[in-house]
Amino acid sequence: MLITLIAFLYIFITSYAVGRYSFHALNRYLFDNPAPIGSAAMYSLTGLGVIMTGAGYYSLLQPIGLSFNIILSAVTLILLITTKNGLPVVNKLPGISVTFLLITLVFILIKTAGPITNPDTGGYHLPIVKWNETYPVVKGLANVHSRFGFNYQYLVLSAVYGFSFLNIPTLHVMNGYIMLLLVWMIVAQMSYINNRLVTRMDIIRLVCLFFALNMSNAMSSISPDFPATALTMMTILLL
């Protein structure tokens, strides 16, 4: 569980730094808008998308392991040092929200560090991650297993944060981390906690929270189905 917590912290720091810079750069150069202030969770989510894209291209030439993480860590350090107010800023939440998030964090750590219960993860999710960690893209790999032919960039991201280059078994922490971001977004947006007034969006948020926590068995796997569902919920929450 401690290893999972350390992995979560590393994921957050790297994805936040990359995401915050990318978020503001996209607004500035593509949309010519002053960048709105995003939440730390949104910056992290944006960073995961950018890192996943970069890792996908990197995997064409090199395996995803120590070298990519050295580059990622160096970029993160540079961005945190050179970006104005680069350190994470977390909006202050009421005590009840913080307590709920801490309890949820412990629950997520336990479920994420637990045994894999999704048979597909053992069947082809984890093997694809191991291929990405060991070799660059292998031509004809789908001839070994048809599922290896699917272009799961999320599994490339799982290889980035698998940490097998530390001579430990590949960690399966990404689904748990995305669950944490989802719950964080829901709790931070609850109007009732701040205004004592239940809105229609609060009801939608509670429904999303119920279904998210009901998918807790997915946290120990690296199935791409879970982040697809979580991103759909996050999109609804941003409407």
Side-chain angles (χ1 to χ4, degrees):
M1 212 166 89
L2 178 59
I3 294 176
T4 302
L5 178 60
I6 294 172
F8 277 7
L9 290 173
Y10 177 76
I11 295 171
F12 175 73
I13 293 170
T14 54
S15 62
Y16 174 89
V18 174
R20 186 178 189 277
Y21 176 82
S22 302
F23 189 89
H24 288 273
L26 286 172
N27 276 278
R28 187 181 305 114
Y29 297 117
L30 294 184
F31 304 110
D32 197 27
N33 290 329
I37 299 175
S39 67
M42 281 303 301
Y43 285 148
S44 179
L45 191 64
T46 303
L48 290 177
V50 174
I51 293 168
M52 180 174 64
T53 303
Y57 284 108
Y58 189 86
S59 68
L60 296 174
L61 304 173
Q62 294 290 328
I64 301 297
L66 178 60
S67 59
F68 185 85
N69 274 275
I70 289 175
I71 295 171
L72 177 59
S73 299
V75 169
T76 297
L77 185 60
I78 291 171
L79 291 176
L80 290 177
I81 292 174
T82 60
T83 303
K84 183 179 180 181
N85 299 324
L87 294 177
V89 176
V90 180
N91 294 334
K92 187 176 180 180
L93 295 174
I96 187 173
S97 298
V98 174
T99 301
F100 179 80
L101 284 175
L102 289 175
I103 294 172
T104 304
L105 172 61
V106 173
F107 173 71
I108 290 174
L109 288 173
I110 292 172
K111 296 293 288 188
T112 303
I116 295 174
T117 56
N118 188 330
D120 287 344
T121 293
Y124 65 95
H125 296 153
L126 190 55
I128 292 177
V129 171
K130 296 301 294 182
W131 276 101
N132 288 323
E133 290 175 336
T134 309
Y135 306 102
V137 169
V138 178
K139 296 179 180 179
L141 190 60
N143 294 315
V144 177
H145 192 310
S146 61
R147 295 279 179 168
F148 291 171
F150 292 175
N151 186 21
Y152 285 134
Q153 288 301 297
Y154 181 68
L155 298 183
V156 177
L157 183 65
S158 296
V160 173
Y161 295 116
F163 302 105
S164 64
F165 57 87
L166 298 176
N167 293 321
I168 61 175
T170 298
L171 300 182
H172 41 90
V173 296
M174 282 309 306
N175 280 3
Y177 182 75
I178 290 178
M179 173 70 86
L180 182 60
L181 291 184
L182 176 58
V183 174
W184 183 359
M185 287 181 61
I186 293 173
V187 173
Q189 293 179 3
M190 288 294 293
S191 300
Y192 175 75
I193 295 175
N194 296 314
N195 304 322
R196 302 302 181 192
L197 178 65
V198 177
T199 65
R200 280 182 291 182
M201 278 307 298
D202 277 345
I203 296 174
I204 293 175
R205 292 178 186 117
L206 288 174
V207 171
C208 288
L209 180 62
F210 170 79
F211 283 108
L213 295 178
N214 196 47
M215 295 186 293
S216 60
N217 285 337
M219 288 189 287
S220 65
S221 75
I222 45 179
S223 169
D225 297 337
F226 175 75
T229 304
L231 287 172
T232 302
M233 291 183 181
M234 291 177 182
T235 303
I236 294 172
L237 295 173
L238 292 173
L239 293 178

